[in-house]
Structure formats: structure tokens, C-alpha cells
Amino acid sequence: TVNGTRSFFIAMNMQGEIFDDPKVRQAAAHAVDKNLIIDKILEGNAVRIEGILSPDAFGASKLPAYEYDPEKSKALLAEAGYPDGVDVTMDVQGSYKETAEAVASLLTKAGFRTKIAVGEGAQLSAKWRTKGEPKSGDMFFTSWGNGSLDPHGIFTPTHRTNDRGNSAGYSNPELDALLDAAAIELDTDNRAAMYSEAEAIINADLPYVYLWVPQDIYGVSKRLSGWKPSADSRINLHDACVE
């Protein structure tokens, strides 16, 4: 096994009336028991994330964790004006329905009475990822792939204002400027520091509930030597040898 190239997360519509409040977004983050889902649904084959980047990506850094705490979720919802909880709908593609239902049950226990709405991929992309268009849903269980493991391929489209993968409708001029500067920075140390700073910003702002990166699983012959799986999904056979 090796960490894969796709980050899973739940977009929270920051242009709506519910998730424009940071306390509600924090409540959602504390409502999801990532470790439980990884263990029971994904059979241990994933690594949790607290930001958009895979642990193997350039510029990835250790971030504060939003640990599972349903009572804290309920308290935050009460502070935000929802003492009796709130009704939400979470969109998802059919292939992830089972996992989304498990997440929805955890959200419901923490005060987010969550209904799952299964949609077709193109329809959900039109609803949530039409560039510059306002969002109309509550939550969207989705993911974004990044085979290069360079943050520009996943961070910018999902978080830059009005970009093609910004399902949350998130907008932060400070972050936009940081992502634009990092995209053209030639010094690798400076560039890594920029993305670490950017991850700290989104970890605090929480436009998404950042979930996990599933692991890729390979079956390998005992006769094979000189090869191991790569986190960028490439199968590099330059040094591979079959005895």
C-alpha cells in the first residue's frame, strides 16, 4: 500500500445561510469521526488529512486536528443560533453513497440532520463547480486528484476565488495572493513555506471538512525486486527485476 493521489473532503456552501458562519463549519469538522470511517469503511486503507494536501505532497505540513467531538459540535451549533440542530442535504455521486451515508449518520448524531442526495457526476459538477456561479446546495461529499503531488494542481482549483474546483464558494484575497505568488516562486524553500502558510489559513477558515487520502493497493509477485509503489501513482520499472 501507498498513499494515493486523491484528497476527499466535504464542501460546505459558504455562500448560503448555514455555513457562512465559521462556528457551524467548525461544528461539522468536529462531527466526523475520520478514524472510525477509515477503520470500518475503508478497512484502514487511508490517511486522514486536516488540509487539502496529501501528506506526500510538496509543501505539506502538520496541521491542528479537528478531533471527533459531537458534544462540542452541538455546543458550537447552539452558539451559532441552532440549539435544536439544523437540517442539511449532502450531495454525492453514487459510487461514494455508502461512505457518505456513514458520514451523514455521524453528522446527524452531532446535530446536523443530514439527508443524502445521490446525483450524476456531470450534474453535480454543473451545480457545484461552474466557475463563478453561486452555489445552491448545503454540502457536497467529493474529492480532487493531484497526480503530480504539487500543490498548484489541487490547492488553487479548489480554494482560489471562483476557480474551477471551488465547490465551497470560498473567497479569501489573502489566500488568493499567496497561491498566485507560490505558483511562480522559483526558490523551493520559499515556495514550500508559502504552501504551509496557505494550509494554515484554510485549516482555520474551514471551507471544507478535510477527510482523508485513500491508499492505493498493489499486488506484487514475490519474484519482483527493485520496485516499490509510489505516492504519485506512477509505476516506475527502471530498476525492477523479475528473478
Side-chain angles (χ1 to χ4, degrees):
T1 61
V2 67
N3 291 337
T5 59
R6 183 164 290 274
S7 295
F8 279 74
F9 46 86
I10 304 169
M12 296 175 282
N13 183 3
M14 293 181 65
Q15 298 173 345
E17 296 181 356
I18 298 174
F19 292 105
D20 61 341
D21 189 327
K23 289 183 179 180
V24 178
R25 301 197 298 275
Q26 291 166 15
H30 284 295
V32 180
D33 190 343
K34 301 178 195 179
N35 294 338
L36 179 67
I37 299 294
I38 290 171
D39 182 41
K40 299 299 184 182
I41 304 296
L42 305 178
E43 298 183 340
N45 296 308
V47 58
R48 61 181 288 167
I49 51 176
E50 304 297 336
I52 194 62
L53 299 181
S54 161
D56 294 293
F58 174 83
S61 55
K62 187 171 178 60
L63 297 165
Y66 287 85
E67 299 294 355
Y68 177 58
D69 191 340
E71 294 307 314
K72 187 170 185 176
S73 295
K74 292 175 183 177
L76 285 165
L77 281 176
E79 291 176 22
Y82 301 103
D84 300 318
V86 61
D87 295 299
V88 297
T89 297
M90 183 160 64
D91 290 320
V92 65
Q93 283 185 252
S95 55
Y96 301 125
K97 178 176 179 288
E98 179 181 300
T99 305
E101 286 176 339
V103 172
S105 69
L106 291 167
L107 286 165
T108 298
K109 290 178 182 178
F112 293 89
R113 292 179 293 274
T114 307
K115 180 176 70 174
I116 293 295
V118 177
E120 190 270 329
Q123 173 255 327
L124 292 176
S125 291
K127 177 179 180 179
W128 286 95
R129 290 179 175 164
T130 300
K131 194 170 181 179
E133 290 295 315
K135 316 302 175 186
S136 58
D138 298 323
M139 308 178 87
F140 180 27
F141 181 96
T142 187
S143 65
W144 196 272
N146 181 34
S148 70
L149 293 180
D150 186 280
H152 182 66
I154 186 170
F155 215 139
T156 298
T158 56
H159 289 78
R160 196 179 187 282
T161 301
N162 290 331
D163 219 302
R164 60 195 176 95
N166 191 340
S167 304
Y170 177 57
S171 180
N172 183 332
E174 179 188 1
L175 182 72
D176 291 347
L178 195 57
L179 293 175
D180 289 346
I184 58 174
E185 175 60 52
L186 298 181
D187 185 284
T188 55
D189 289 340
N190 288 343
R191 190 165 183 260
M194 288 177 175
Y195 283 121
S196 293
E197 182 181 349
E199 279 231 288
I201 291 172
I202 64 166
N203 175 265
D205 284 354
L206 277 181
Y208 302 90
V209 179
Y210 304 99
L211 297 172
W212 49 72
V213 171
Q215 293 177 325
D216 295 334
I217 304 172
Y218 294 82
V220 182
S221 169
K222 293 180 179 179
R223 297 169 57 204
L224 179 67
S225 62
W227 181 86
K228 62 180 180 180
S230 172
D232 62 6
S233 77
R234 292 184 301 165
I235 299 178
N236 190 336
L237 299 177
H238 288 81
D239 299 317
C241 181
V242 178
E243 299 174 355

